[in-house]
Amino acid sequence: MHYRASNPPIAPLSLALLAALSGACSSADATLGEDGGSNSSPTAASGTAAASESWTGGDSGGPVTTSGEGSWGTDSGDSASATEAATSAASDSAGSTGGEPNGDTTGGEPSTGDASSSSSGTTGEAACDIETPVVLYLSPDDSNSTSSPVQAREAVLGDFGSLNWIPIRTWEFLNYYSFSYAPAEPGQVRVTPELARFKDQLDGQFTMQIGVSSELIPAADRPLMNVTLVLDESGSMSGHPMDMQREVCRTIAASLREGDVVSMVGWDTTNAIKLAGHVVKSPSDPKVVGECDALEAGGGTDLSGGLNAGYKLATEHFSKGRINRVVLVSDGGANAGETDIAVIAQGAGDQGKDGIYLVGVGVGSSESYQDQLMDTVTDAGKGASLFIPHKAEALKMFKDRFVSTMMVAARDVRVRLDMPPGFEIVKFSGEEFSADPSEIEPQHLAPNDAMVFHQTVETCAPELVDAETTFTITTRYQDAVTFEVREVEETRKISELLNLPSANLLKGAAVFAYAEGLKAVKTGDLTGKTLALEAVALAEAALPGDKDLAEIRSVLEAL
């Protein structure tokens, strides 16, 4: 998700489609939640001393003290070893796709939101617990990954013309398209909860959207960075993939500024260090551009060796006061050296602990790109996975969005949702949620960006919901450079949320419906396409001329 100019409030609309997405009846009127101003304020906390943590359930009336682990489980990276994280990422990359949740939300295995997964195995109707407050921890999966919607768009609108081999990861669609959440104050994050209730909706159901936004940093004001480019020169990169890699390399060079430090390693079955700690003199530094232009394809693909060499180079030139970023560019193949996906991912699994962040850039065409390896590697490294099929996308991600692609505003972001007793999530846009915080991997948040969670929540005791019913969203995160632990909390009554109309929620519903519609089309069900087009139409009424919605419409109409 990326920022755009704020939109004015909209009048209540008739939202039959949105109601259907929430599991409601086929026609409904809704009053929607606006991107209302948040009075959230972060609370600094010690990131070293393991002290205490006090929670008041869904009641935010008292102070929140934080340090150490508390009810958040272990600190980032400690819940599983790099090997376990990489293995999990490899197995999840083809399965968890958002949508209907499954599994047990009271602990144990996290719910993945995968509509295609089997049920949790319970029999009969669960008892309605109206005594125990509900606490869930949410994960969007990847740190700002956007590969899936780009692959889908290119597959449909390009020569491939098929979604059969395209992964549809709903959370990446929410990452890719822009929302108008207000940015946070410098060094902070901002939490904006939104809610919709439909008049003809099933009793106790609500559509909820949560935006966790970061600070706004113009490109001219960004801190200096230390960039290590890890570039694939194997034989499979010949032709279009190599052209795109050169384009990415040159576009990054053009976005750098005086004082940035660049290192570069090219790899096939061997590794060639092309630049080591080069201090940039100006944008499009001739030495950097010259190395980009000189890239050539040839040899086997030892991606594991190349990645390890890149991290070694990044470590040698690590700068504590800067954002240190490794950019891995490849077509996703691995046919030499170590070829096991989980083992390769281990090379990225522990690097973020020291402040070396990863971006994985897939290049080529949608029919030839090997997504699974790059997605798994970036998942283990808590980095963004991108796909660059042409020059326009390279400019979008590494010129227009250079700061949000390359910088980190908050690391190890964890989101906690407190709901009244009896509530549960029945649809979810992210990869997973759980009552056990150790099951949820924290993710990094870029500047000029937001994590957007779109879900349907439902209570088994709708008669207990009144105007005073509250939801609390708490976000814990670390400063990207100092690692200082901070928290921000936002509590809202249902009566406050339902009286504030929101274009953001409408757009979120359209993006969610688009991703779910593509999944349905892959199975031969065109109903999802129809529902998605209706959702897009409702969002277009609130956001006339929105370029994202126009793109989504063009893909759906081409199916």
Side-chain angles (χ1 to χ4, degrees):
M1 180 250 128
H2 299 270
Y3 294 144
R4 65 189 311 121
S6 296
N7 299 293
I10 59 172
L13 299 172
S14 176
L15 301 181
L17 180 277
L18 201 52
L21 290 174
S22 302
C25 300
S26 61
S27 65
D29 292 330
T31 309
L32 302 175
E34 158 73 338
D35 168 17
S38 166
N39 295 319
S40 308
S41 59
T43 302
S46 169
T48 55
S52 65
E53 180 168 15
S54 63
W55 289 96
T56 56
D59 179 7
S60 64
V64 178
T65 60
T66 67
S67 60
E69 297 176 3
S71 63
W72 289 88
T74 56
D75 287 339
S76 170
D78 294 337
S79 61
S81 66
T83 302
E84 292 168 333
T87 303
S88 174
S91 63
D92 289 347
S93 63
S96 297
T97 56
E100 301 285 352
N102 68 332
D104 181 5
T105 60
T106 60
E109 292 298 319
S111 295
T112 64
D114 186 350
S116 65
S117 297
S118 61
S119 66
S120 61
T122 59
T123 59
E125 185 173 342
C128 183
D129 181 357
I130 60 173
E131 301 294 334
T132 309
V134 176
V135 179
L136 296 173
Y137 299 85
L138 315 180
S139 173
D141 177 60
D142 296 317
S143 297
N144 202 27
S145 290
T146 60
S147 177
S148 179
V150 179
Q151 292 185 64
R153 181 192 67 208
E154 296 304 310
V156 174
L157 299 182
D159 294 335
F160 193 34
S162 173
L163 290 169
N164 288 343
W165 306 108
I166 303 301
I168 308 297
R169 296 182 286 264
T170 303
W171 51 87
E172 293 188 14
F173 287 70
L174 273 296
N175 289 342
Y176 187 67
Y177 295 109
S178 300
F179 294 82
S180 60
Y181 289 114
E185 294 297 317
Q188 303 179 14
V189 302
R190 181 186 181 106
V191 177
T192 305
E194 306 179 78
L195 203 67
R197 172 69 181 128
F198 305 97
K199 292 180 179 178
D200 294 338
Q201 193 169 358
L202 295 177
D203 282 349
Q205 284 195 335
F206 301 86
T207 298
M208 173 183 286
Q209 189 161 294
I210 300 168
V212 181
S213 51
S214 59
E215 65 180 295
L216 181 64
I217 300 180
D221 298 334
R222 68 164 177 82
L224 293 174
M225 63 175 61
N226 178 30
V227 179
T228 301
L229 301 175
V230 183
L231 306 172
D232 188 347
E233 293 189 283
S234 64
S236 65
M237 291 286 290
S238 180
H240 182 62
M242 181 57 72
D243 291 341
M244 290 302 97
Q245 178 169 242
R246 294 192 192 103
E247 198 63 56
V248 168
C249 189
R250 287 191 291 260
T251 306
I252 290 174
S255 296
L256 297 174
R257 61 186 178 88
E258 182 180 1
D260 286 329
V261 174
V262 178
S263 300
M264 185 185 298
V265 58
W267 54 273
D268 43 43
T269 53
T270 60
N271 304 311
I273 296 176
K274 302 173 182 296
L275 294 173
H278 173 71
V279 180
V280 173
K281 303 297 190 297
S282 65
S284 297
D285 183 299
K287 193 166 185 179
V288 179
V289 173
E291 294 294 348
C292 296
D293 292 340
L295 293 168
E296 293 290 344
T301 307
D302 184 5
L303 191 151
S304 180
L307 183 62
N308 290 333
Y311 272 117
K312 182 174 184 294
L313 196 56
T315 301
E316 290 172 354
H317 298 279
F318 181 86
S319 179
K320 188 174 182 180
R322 303 180 180 215
I323 293 295
N324 295 267
R325 180 68 83 173
V326 169
V327 181
L328 171 67
V329 187
S330 177
D331 61 354
N335 60 19
E338 180 58 63
T339 58
D340 183 88
I341 291 178
V343 175
I344 294 173
Q346 289 180 46
D350 290 327
Q351 305 299 331
K353 291 183 179 180
D354 297 324
I356 299 176
Y357 303 104
L358 178 67
V359 174
V361 184
V363 291
S365 60
S366 56
E367 62 265 36
S368 63
Y369 175 53
Q370 300 181 54
D371 172 86
Q372 185 179 9
L373 177 56
M374 293 291 281
D375 180 64
T376 302
V377 168
T378 54
D379 197 30
K382 295 180 184 175
S385 176
L386 316 180
F387 179 60
I388 307 296
H390 44 62
K391 181 177 180 178
E393 194 68 25
L395 292 172
K396 180 175 185 175
M397 302 308 297
F398 291 104
K399 179 185 177 184
D400 301 341
R401 295 186 179 181
F402 182 77
V403 172
S404 60
T405 299
M406 297 291 285
M407 302 294 293
V408 176
R411 57 177 279 131
D412 288 351
V413 178
R414 305 179 185 215
V415 178
R416 167 175 162 163
L417 172 62
D418 286 68
M419 299 189 290
F423 270 87
E424 64 176 332
I425 293 177
V426 296
K427 289 189 178 183
F428 185 53
S429 66
E431 182 189 24
E432 57 188 10
F433 62 88
S434 177
D436 181 356
S438 68
E439 298 282 0
I440 302 301
E441 284 293 320
Q443 300 296 336
H444 305 322
L445 177 62
N448 312 340
D449 200 8
M451 292 180 178
V452 179
F453 300 89
H454 186 89
Q455 53 265 312
T456 298
V457 299
E458 182 177 25
T459 176
C460 60
E463 69 277 4
L464 299 181
V465 177
D466 58 25
E468 299 300 307
T469 299
T470 60
F471 296 92
T472 297
I473 298 92
T474 308
T475 302
R476 171 181 282 194
Y477 61 100
Q478 295 179 0
D479 181 273
V481 176
T482 68
F483 293 9
E484 178 187 16
V485 179
R486 300 170 181 170
E487 275 189 10
V488 59
E489 181 182 283
E490 182 72 15
T491 297
R492 292 290 187 89
K493 298 177 182 178
I494 281 184
S495 57
E496 297 173 323
L497 294 172
L498 291 178
N499 290 330
L500 299 171
S502 167
N504 275 331
L505 193 146
L506 282 173
K507 185 169 183 178
V511 173
F512 183 83
Y514 172 46
E516 297 302 302
L518 292 180
K519 294 177 197 175
V521 169
K522 286 181 67 174
T523 68
D525 180 4
L526 294 181
T527 304
K529 170 185 173 179
T530 301
L531 292 174
L533 283 169
E534 291 176 13
V536 169
L538 291 171
E540 287 172 332
L543 296 166
D546 186 277
K547 292 182 179 179
D548 291 340
L549 295 172
E551 175 179 295
I552 291 171
R553 176 175 287 281
S554 70
V555 174
L556 289 169
E557 291 179 344
L559 289 171

